[in-house]
Amino acid sequence: MTPSPVPGWAAAALSSVFDPCCREKGISVVDMGLLRSVTVDGGHARVELLLTSGWCPFAARVLTDVEQAIAALPGVDTCEVEIVWDEAWTTDRLSESAARKLRFLPDPVAVPDRDAYLSAHRP
């Protein structure tokens, strides 16, 4: 199943919702790439989320925060948030700003001289 794009109004509403692990870095669920789809039908919103890990200890908190943010919008009477398991979250889903803030390093086998790589990429 191909997810529908996330509408701009939903991304704006969720840009201030954070996974507790990323709040201090200012990385929202939108920037983390956790949103798979958001649809509204007859006042009922349905949000599909991916998790970075199936063992995320904050999943319930994120689900509640997303539900409350979407349910507070005009034209939305009810909201359900579902975690989808048929697609894995990967770092490719991060926004550019989130990737810069998290500074993921490449696979160690791809970097023969780790010290030189780190020196060249430190701010």
Side-chain angles (χ1 to χ4, degrees):
M1 173 183 161
T2 303
S4 57
V6 175
W9 57 266
L14 296 172
S15 66
S16 61
V17 174
F18 301 93
D19 179 312
C21 292
C22 296
R23 180 180 303 277
E24 69 184 33
K25 292 185 180 345
I27 302 171
S28 71
V29 295
V30 175
D31 288 328
M32 282 296 294
L34 301 182
L35 294 176
R36 181 175 173 186
S37 68
V38 179
T39 57
V40 178
D41 183 17
H44 178 72
R46 182 168 190 280
V47 180
E48 292 182 328
L49 290 179
L50 300 169
L51 296 178
T52 57
S53 164
W55 300 105
C56 176
F58 302 112
R61 168 78 183 269
V62 173
L63 287 151
T64 299
D65 290 350
V66 167
E67 180 181 354
Q68 290 174 347
I70 295 294
L73 295 173
V76 177
D77 301 318
T78 59
C79 179
E80 71 176 299
V81 181
E82 181 181 343
I83 297 170
V84 292
W85 300 105
D86 62 346
E87 178 181 355
W89 179 89
T90 65
T91 57
D92 296 339
R93 296 185 63 91
L94 292 168
S95 69
E96 286 183 34
S97 66
R100 279 193 308 274
K101 289 175 184 176
L102 294 173
R103 294 185 350 194
F104 283 97
L105 296 175
D107 188 327
V109 298
V111 182
D113 185 348
R114 182 179 185 277
D115 292 332
Y117 179 88
L118 290 173
S119 294
H121 291 87
R122 283 197 176 126

